[in-house]
Amino acid sequence: MKEEKEIDPDRLPSHVAIIMDGNGRWAQRHAMGRVLGHRKGAESVRAAVTTCRKIGIRYLTLYAFSMENWLRPQTEVRALMKLLEEYLDEEVQEMMDQDIRLTAIGRLDSIGEPVLSKLREGMDRTRNNKTMVLTLALSYGGQDEILDACRRMMGDVAAGRIGADEVDRERFASYLYTAGLPDPDLLIRTGGEYRISNFLLWQMAYTEFYFTDTLWPDFRERHLLKAIADYQQRERRFGMTSEQVRRK
Ligand code: IPE
Ligand code: IPE
Ligand code: MG
C-alpha cells in the first residue's frame, strides 16, 4: 500500500472529482437501512475534504446527488436532503477555519428549502477563501448541464451579444456550471461500478479514471492516497506520442 510519503508533491492532481458510490450496499452488508449508509458516507466526505486540504489538492468536486437520484423513494430523498442540511450546519465554520471555499453545481433551484438557503449562505460566507475549492454536485446531470449551457448561449447569440462564429470550446465551457473550474485531472469512483453516471461529461474529456471496489463509507485517507499514487504512475499523453510527452 502506498503511504503518504510516496506521493510526489510536485505532481499532485490539481482537481480531484469523486463519485461517492456504495452507501446502500455498505448499509445492507451491515444489516442497516440505506439511510444509515448515507450517514456513514458523510463521515467519508469529511475525511476526503481533510485529506485533500492537508496534502494540497486545490479543487475537490464531490458527486453528492444526481438528477437521476430524484427517482429514488421519497423517504430516501428526504433523508439525503436532511443529511446535506446537517453537513452544512456543521461544516461551514470548519471551512472558514480551513480557508476552504464552498461552491455547488447542478440545478440548485430544485433543492428545496431550507437546504437551498443554507447552501447559498455557506457559499456566500466562504466565497473569499483561497486554499481549496470544494464543489458539491447537487441535483446534477452532465447532459442537463450541457443543455442548460446551450440554451443560455443560444440566447446570447439570438440577442447579438456573441456571434455564432465566436463559439469555441473555451467560450462554450464558460456557460457550464463549472465555469472557472479547471477540468478534473483524476476521477475516483468507489463502489465497484464502471460507469460515470452522467457526471461532468464535457469536463472529463481527458480525465484519468480510477475505479475501486471500496464502498464509499469505508473510503479513508489511505484509499485516497492510493488513488493519487496510481494517478502519478500514469503518462498523460493528450493525443501525443510518449516520446513527445517526455521531451516536453
Ligand atoms: C451513493 O450511494 C450515494 C448517492 C447516490 C446519493 P448509493 O446510495 O448509490 O449506494 P448503492 O449504490 O445503492 O450501494
Ligand atoms: C451516482 O451514483 C450518483 C452519486 C454518487 C451521487 P448512483 O448510485 O446514483 O449511480 P447509478 O444509478 O448506479 O449509475
Ligand atoms: Mg449507487
Side-chain angles (χ1 to χ4, degrees), residues 19-25 34 38 69 72 189-191 193 195 197:
I19 301 178
M20 311 183 288
D21 195 20
N23 295 351
R25 279 161 289 163
R34 295 181 57 84
H38 295 312
N69 288 150
R72 292 193 180 192
R189 183 174 187 142
T190 63
E193 310 289 357
R195 53 177 175 258
S197 303

Side-chain angles (χ1 to χ4, degrees), residues 61-104:
T61 298
L62 301 175
Y63 203 5
F65 193 86
S66 71
M67 264 323 248
E68 289 73 22
N69 288 150
W70 289 114
L71 299 170
R72 292 193 180 192
Q74 275 276 319
T75 48
E76 183 168 341
V77 171
R78 265 201 297 270
L80 282 164
M81 291 302 148
K82 187 81 199 147
L83 269 175
L84 173 60
E85 189 184 341
E86 283 178 30
Y87 178 78
L88 293 167
D89 284 342
E90 288 160 19
E91 297 303 314
V92 171
Q93 183 53 49
E94 183 66 18
M95 292 175 204
M96 291 306 293
D97 296 342
Q98 298 290 316
D99 197 35
I100 296 170
R101 177 175 181 189
L102 174 68
T103 63

Side-chain angles (χ1 to χ4, degrees), residues 1-222:
M1 179 107 26
K2 297 271 179 187
E3 297 297 336
E4 189 178 355
K5 59 182 183 325
E6 294 176 63
I7 285 192
D8 179 353
D10 296 326
R11 292 184 53 236
L12 282 175
S14 163
H15 184 174
V16 175
I18 307 182
I19 301 178
M20 311 183 288
D21 195 20
N23 295 351
R25 279 161 289 163
W26 186 93
Q28 198 172 27
R29 273 179 213 174
H30 291 79
M32 294 172 178
R34 295 181 57 84
V35 172
L36 283 171
H38 295 312
R39 187 166 285 284
K40 198 76 191 160
E43 290 175 25
S44 302
V45 171
R46 292 180 176 93
V49 172
T50 304
T51 302
C52 286
R53 167 69 174 78
K54 184 175 82 179
I55 65 177
I57 302 292
R58 297 303 307 273
Y59 301 90
L60 173 65
T61 298
L62 301 175
Y63 203 5
F65 193 86
S66 71
M67 264 323 248
E68 289 73 22
N69 288 150
W70 289 114
L71 299 170
R72 292 193 180 192
Q74 275 276 319
T75 48
E76 183 168 341
V77 171
R78 265 201 297 270
L80 282 164
M81 291 302 148
K82 187 81 199 147
L83 269 175
L84 173 60
E85 189 184 341
E86 283 178 30
Y87 178 78
L88 293 167
D89 284 342
E90 288 160 19
E91 297 303 314
V92 171
Q93 183 53 49
E94 183 66 18
M95 292 175 204
M96 291 306 293
D97 296 342
Q98 298 290 316
D99 197 35
I100 296 170
R101 177 175 181 189
L102 174 68
T103 63
I105 52 173
R107 293 228 174 120
L108 302 183
D109 290 338
S110 347
I111 298 168
E113 294 296 350
V115 191
L116 183 58
S117 299
K118 290 191 178 176
L119 179 64
R120 293 208 191 282
E121 259 171 53
M123 294 195 287
D124 205 52
R125 239 186 110 193
T126 61
R127 68 185 316 130
N128 294 317
N129 294 351
K130 297 272 186 301
T131 304
M132 185 173 98
V133 178
L134 168 64
T135 302
L136 300 180
L138 293 166
S139 191
Y140 175 89
Q143 292 181 330
D144 301 290
E145 177 182 35
I146 291 169
L147 285 174
D148 285 349
C150 284
R151 277 195 210 100
R152 284 205 299 125
M153 196 177 66
M154 283 175 349
D156 281 350
V157 172
R161 284 186 288 269
I162 62 165
D165 53 346
E166 292 175 73
V167 177
D168 55 13
R169 286 196 290 234
E170 205 179 321
R171 175 70 69 129
F172 184 74
S174 75
Y175 285 91
L176 295 169
Y177 308 144
T178 51
L181 273 187
D183 289 344
D185 300 294
L186 171 63
L187 170 79
I188 299 169
R189 183 174 187 142
T190 63
E193 310 289 357
Y194 298 97
R195 53 177 175 258
I196 58 173
S197 303
N198 204 8
F199 193 37
L200 300 175
L201 299 180
W202 171 278
Q203 297 86 343
M204 296 208 294
Y206 257 108
T207 298
E208 297 292 331
F209 287 12
Y210 180 89
F211 296 98
T212 171
D213 288 336
T214 303
L215 301 173
W216 179 249
D218 290 327
F219 194 84
R220 283 294 176 274
E221 173 164 306
R222 66 195 165 87

